[in-house]
Amino acid sequence: MALKLPRRFLLACLTGGLLTSLTAGSALAQDKSIVVASTTSTEQSGLFGHLLPAFKAATGIDVRVVAVGTGQALDTGRRGDADVVFVHDTVAEEKFLAEGFATQRRNVMYNDFVVVGPAADPAKLQGSDINSAFAKLAASGAGFISRGDKSGTHAAELRLWKGSGVDLAAAKPAGYKECGCGMGPALNMGASTGSYVLTDRGTWLSFKNRADLKVLVEGDKKLFNQYGVMVVSAAKHPHVKTALAQQFADWVVSPAGQASINGYKIGGEQLFFGNAP
C-alpha cells in the first residue's frame, strides 16, 4: 500500500529543497571573487580604482586587493592567502616562480622611479644620473626617507645605493630614515620633513600633499620599473580559485586590459604603460 504523506510535510520538503537550491546558487554567485595581492603603488596611484570596474564588467568577477609591499605580497601568495600576485620586483618574482608558487609570470606594464626632494635641492641631486645622485645624497647627509618595508620600491632603492658605491650594511648615511611604510606615507614624511624620497612615478602623480617637493632625478634607465602578474599555484594551495584567477591574469595582458591600463591618466599624464607580450 502506498504511503500517504501529509500535504504540509510535502510542501515543507519542497520549500526546503527550493531554499537549499537558492542558497547554493547564491553562494556560488557570491563566490565569484578573487584576492589579488599587490603593491601600494598600484593601489595608491588609483590604478585599481580605474582597472577593476572594467575587469568586473568584462567577467563578472569581484576582486579584493591586498595592497602591501611586493615582498609581503609574495609572502601572501606563498601562504595561499591570495589567488593572484601583481607586483614589481622581477628578481623576487622569478624566485617565487622557481619555488613552485606559480607556473608562469607575465609582464603587464611598466613605469619608472623618480627621486623627489625639496625644490631648493640642498644636496644638488638634480639630473638624470641616479648613481651620482645617490652618492651626493650620502655625502651631503641630507634627509632621505626609505620605505624600509621589503617592497619592490625598497628593493630597487637598495640596488641603487649599492650601484652608487654606498654600503648601507656598513653605515647608513646621516639623514637616512626608514619608515617601514607604504609609498603614500613615505611621501607624506618626505613632504613634512623636506627630505628626498625614491618613488614610483604613478604614486607621485596621484599624490596631493606635495608641499615643497618636486621631481629632481629622472630618466636613468636604471629607474625602469616593471610589473608582472602570476596566478598562485593550485599544486601548492589547492583552494586557490585558479580558473577565476587565470581570467584576471589573462585579462590584464589582453588588448582590453592593456588599453584600460594605458587609458589611466592624471592631469593628462599617463601613469602606467602596458607592455604585455
Side-chain angles (χ1 to χ4, degrees):
M1 186 174 78
L3 180 64
K4 293 189 70 176
L5 296 173
R7 186 178 177 189
R8 277 184 299 178
F9 177 79
L10 290 171
L11 284 172
C13 288
L14 287 169
T15 304
L18 180 60
L19 285 173
T20 300
S21 176
L22 288 171
T23 302
S26 176
L28 284 172
Q30 290 171 0
D31 198 42
K32 198 169 182 184
S33 64
I34 57 172
V35 175
V36 174
S38 192
T39 71
T40 60
S41 60
T42 47
E43 176 75 4
Q44 293 171 0
S45 66
L47 176 68
F48 277 131
H50 168 81
L51 203 63
L52 296 184
F55 172 68
K56 183 172 182 180
T59 65
I61 299 170
D62 285 305
V63 176
R64 182 169 71 86
V65 177
V66 178
V68 289
T70 285
Q72 293 170 281
L74 290 169
D75 285 343
T76 300
R78 285 186 176 94
R79 294 192 302 269
D81 292 334
D83 304 294
V84 176
V85 290
F86 187 2
V87 291
H88 65 135
D89 183 351
T90 303
V91 173
E93 292 164 52
E94 288 173 348
K95 184 174 185 290
F96 184 89
L97 193 62
E99 292 168 347
F101 288 102
T103 57
Q104 184 183 31
R105 177 201 170 278
R106 286 187 282 182
N107 284 343
V108 178
M109 63 190 190
Y110 70 92
N111 64 4
D112 63 341
F113 294 110
V114 296
V115 176
V116 300
D121 192 17
K124 307 302 178 192
L125 304 192
Q126 190 156 18
S128 59
D129 186 336
I130 189 62
N131 287 351
S132 172
F134 268 36
K136 288 177 184 177
L137 188 55
S140 73
F144 178 85
I145 306 299
S146 168
R147 283 182 57 174
D149 63 349
K150 298 183 180 178
S151 62
T153 303
H154 183 217
E157 178 217 315
L158 296 179
R159 288 193 297 270
L160 294 171
W161 281 115
K162 185 176 181 181
S164 66
V166 178
D167 184 359
L168 293 182
K172 292 181 173 64
Y176 189 93
K177 294 181 177 64
E178 293 177 291
C179 70
C181 62
M183 197 68 258
L187 284 168
N188 278 323
M189 287 183 66
S192 64
T193 61
S195 299
Y196 294 90
V197 187
L198 178 76
T199 175
D200 68 285
R201 192 184 292 272
T203 306
W204 169 251
L205 287 173
S206 63
F207 182 61
K208 306 300 184 189
N209 184 33
R210 295 184 181 184
D212 191 37
L213 298 183
K214 62 178 283 190
V215 175
L216 295 170
V217 184
E218 60 183 329
D220 193 317
K221 65 181 181 180
K222 298 182 187 72
L223 296 172
F224 181 79
N225 183 27
Q226 178 69 55
Y227 289 78
V229 67
M230 295 180 286
V231 174
V232 176
S233 172
K236 290 280 190 182
H237 298 291
H239 64 274
V240 166
K241 299 173 184 176
T242 308
L244 300 181
Q246 192 63 54
Q247 284 189 65
F248 177 83
D250 290 343
W251 186 83
V252 293
V253 301
S254 72
Q258 295 280 284
S260 186
I261 289 166
N262 291 333
Y264 181 51
K265 298 178 181 180
I266 292 179
E269 190 162 355
Q270 188 170 330
L271 275 71
F272 298 93
F273 299 82
N275 67 341

